[in-house]
Structure formats: structure tokens, C-alpha cells
Amino acid sequence: MLRQLGLNHVARYATTRGKLRSYLTRKLRERGWQGDDAPPVEAIVERMAALGYVDDRAFAETRAAGLARRGYGPRRIADALRMAGIDEADGQAAGEAAGAAAWDAALAFARRRRIGPFAADSPEPGPARDKALAALMRAGHTFEIARILVDSEPGEVPEAPN
């Protein structure tokens, strides 16, 4: 029963070892376990990974690329991967790619939110500027990148910082 639940879950959702482990543990709490031995949650998770049904590294790369396209920065991407149960070894390549694409991701976020070079008006010191700066910071971008974008004149896309 537990193996079938795990198989159904990985067939339907892109998942990680940590998420699959949490799902199976939750199902055990909800339904109980009738076996004499301890439930084989870890064995099922490792078997699914060995068969290639669960691939934490591929999940991390896909999730990181999707978040970067939506304009999220390296810090926010790292948080999302950590919440998905990706360990540092599996998420390292995705984190490096997110760091390399940080400027493009910040531009995508600024374009979507109409901040800085994509705004209608010039930036004026005050609450609107602070709000735009905070939005970029919450999206996982560094203060330096956020400040450069917020202080940019409309229509003038600045060069990436070194």
C-alpha cells in the first residue's frame, strides 16, 4: 500500500526525496500502519531515487531556472530549494546558475513590476522608492542590484555591476 502511494505520487508530481518522505509520513499518520515492522518509508524513497523516479539535482535545476525566469534572485531561489528538501550538494549547480543569471533575473522582475528603467516616472526619494527597493530585496536580489535598478531613469537600462 505504502509503495503504491509513493509510486502514484512520483508519477503525478515532480518531487524530491524530502517531499516524498514527508508525503509518505503524512499518509502513515492519516491511515495508520498495520505491519509488524517499522514502515519502510526510507527504503521506498531510496528505491524511487535509484529507479530515477526522483531526481533531486534535476528538480533543483528546473525549479531554479523557473524562478530565475520569473525574476527571483539567488537568495530566494536557495530558500525555495531548501524548502523543497534539496540538500546543498544537489542544489549547488542550480545555485551557481542562479548567481550567474542574477542580473537578468533582476531585470525580469523590474520589468514585471515596472521598477526603475521600466517605470513610468523618475525615481523620487520617498515611500514609493523604498517600496520598490524592498520588493527587489524580498525577491532575493542583493542590495547593490536593487539600488542600481531603483535609481535608474525610465527607459535607460543600466549595465550589470561587476
Side-chain angles (χ1 to χ4, degrees), residues 12 20 33 41 47 79 86 126 153:
R12 189 167 185 188
L20 179 60
W33 177 252
V41 172
R47 177 76 174 144
D79 290 345
I86 303 292
E153 291 295 323

Side-chain angles (χ1 to χ4, degrees), residues 12 64 76 135 151:
R12 189 167 185 188
R76 180 82 179 263
D151 291 342

Side-chain angles (χ1 to χ4, degrees), residues 22-99:
S22 296
Y23 172 76
L24 293 174
T25 303
R26 180 172 50 91
K27 288 300 178 183
L28 282 172
R29 269 195 320 271
E30 292 171 358
R31 298 177 181 193
W33 177 252
Q34 273 79 38
D36 294 333
D37 298 339
V41 172
E42 198 58 40
I44 291 171
V45 169
E46 291 307 316
R47 177 76 174 144
M48 298 287 174
L51 291 171
Y53 299 155
V54 176
D55 186 351
D56 286 359
R57 181 165 286 139
F59 180 92
E61 290 170 2
T62 303
R63 176 65 58 94
L67 289 171
R69 276 191 307 275
R70 289 175 37 207
Y72 292 107
R75 193 183 73 244
R76 180 82 179 263
I77 291 171
D79 290 345
L81 295 179
R82 195 172 24 263
M83 293 300 293
I86 303 292
D87 62 13
E88 281 190 43
D90 288 331
Q92 183 176 4
E96 290 171 1

